[in-house]
Amino acid sequence: MTETVPATGMSRWDHALSTWKELDVPDGWRAEIVDDNGVLLVAPPSDPHNIIADRVNRALLRAVPDDWGLYQTLGIQLPVVERLYVPDLVVMPESVVLDPGQTPNPADEAELVVEIVSKSSMDIDRKKKLWGYAHAPVPLYLLVDAWDETGPSVTLYEQPGNGRYNHATTVDFGEKIRLPEPFDLEIDTSRFPRPEQWPS
């Protein structure tokens, strides 16, 4: 979608946010602001994508406190870089999500975001969102990438500072990846669908 001209006296970011709030997005689709070109519609995920989201969701449920939520369609804004993402999964305090004055929710309130790479989102998830989440800053970014050139992998980015993550741990599909406090759990990736199981 193309960006329209902001009204006089309205910042570009406020205009983009206002446009996003007014969108009538088809069921299953998501709308995100991933760069300076305006709002982007993201197609509904595939079945393998949903299976991975479900497996990560089940693992996280064991560690998420009662006053936090695990959300799949939550818009989170990053005003410092004028972006708005809808992660595949985000862990955030329920009090923030219930606050009508914080919609879309501030990304710096997230405890963890999860993105599952699809063929159409490789550059966005690996580069643009990595950059955006580090700037927010979001303390933990889990990237599940069945399309990694070196083989299907899961990477946990940690310790954001100065606009980048200062630590990353990568495991191959089939291995376990450990999330630090406040989660302190391992996610088993052995049942994540591999590329040959994804639609072509």
Side-chain angles (χ1 to χ4, degrees), residues 55-64 112 142 156 176-188:
R55 300 222 178 279
V56 174
N57 186 78
R58 288 175 188 236
L60 289 171
L61 281 174
R62 297 192 302 265
V64 172
L112 165 74
L142 188 69
L156 178 66
K176 294 179 180 179
I177 189 158
R178 172 160 286 281
L179 272 59
E181 295 289 350
F183 300 97
D184 191 26
L185 66 87
E186 287 186 333
I187 296 176
D188 184 359

Side-chain angles (χ1 to χ4, degrees), residues 122-198:
M122 293 180 190
D123 187 57
I124 292 171
D125 294 337
R126 293 173 184 166
K127 297 176 183 175
K128 293 180 180 182
K129 289 189 175 183
L130 175 65
W131 176 85
Y133 290 138
H135 276 82
V138 174
L140 298 171
Y141 175 31
L142 188 69
L143 180 68
V144 181
D145 192 349
W147 309 104
D148 187 335
E149 295 85 354
T150 62
S153 68
V154 180
T155 302
L156 178 66
Y157 295 95
E158 306 175 67
Q159 301 169 14
N162 298 317
R164 64 187 180 94
Y165 284 99
N166 294 296
H167 185 73
T169 303
T170 301
V171 301
D172 296 331
F173 273 26
E175 299 178 19
K176 294 179 180 179
I177 189 158
R178 172 160 286 281
L179 272 59
E181 295 289 350
F183 300 97
D184 191 26
L185 66 87
E186 287 186 333
I187 296 176
D188 184 359
T189 71
S190 63
R191 295 176 65 195
F192 286 5
R194 294 181 169 273
E196 59 271 17
Q197 297 171 293
W198 290 61

Side-chain angles (χ1 to χ4, degrees), residues 21-164:
K21 288 178 180 179
E22 293 172 7
L23 287 175
D24 184 17
V25 180
D27 286 346
W29 289 66
R30 295 175 295 165
E32 299 182 306
I33 304 170
V34 298
D35 55 31
D36 295 332
N37 295 320
V39 178
L40 170 73
L41 282 179
V42 181
S46 65
D47 289 345
H49 189 286
N50 283 324
I51 288 170
I52 292 172
D54 178 63
R55 300 222 178 279
V56 174
N57 186 78
R58 288 175 188 236
L60 289 171
L61 281 174
R62 297 192 302 265
V64 172
D66 287 343
D67 57 346
W68 290 3
L70 184 53
Y71 306 99
Q72 294 187 35
T73 58
L74 189 69
I76 60 173
Q77 62 172 311
L78 302 82
V80 68
V81 291
E82 298 186 346
R83 302 291 186 265
L84 187 145
Y85 304 148
V86 182
D88 290 305
L89 294 169
V90 58
V91 177
M92 185 173 283
E94 192 176 84
S95 60
V96 176
V97 178
L98 288 174
D99 183 349
Q102 299 198 71
T103 301
N105 302 112
D108 61 356
E109 293 283 358
E111 302 291 339
L112 165 74
V113 293
V114 180
E115 296 288 1
I116 301 164
V117 176
S118 61
K119 283 186 177 180
S120 62
S121 71
M122 293 180 190
D123 187 57
I124 292 171
D125 294 337
R126 293 173 184 166
K127 297 176 183 175
K128 293 180 180 182
K129 289 189 175 183
L130 175 65
W131 176 85
Y133 290 138
H135 276 82
V138 174
L140 298 171
Y141 175 31
L142 188 69
L143 180 68
V144 181
D145 192 349
W147 309 104
D148 187 335
E149 295 85 354
T150 62
S153 68
V154 180
T155 302
L156 178 66
Y157 295 95
E158 306 175 67
Q159 301 169 14
N162 298 317
R164 64 187 180 94

Side-chain angles (χ1 to χ4, degrees), residues 6-17:
T8 304
M10 179 181 276
S11 73
R12 188 178 65 152
W13 171 242
D14 287 339
H15 175 70
L17 206 53

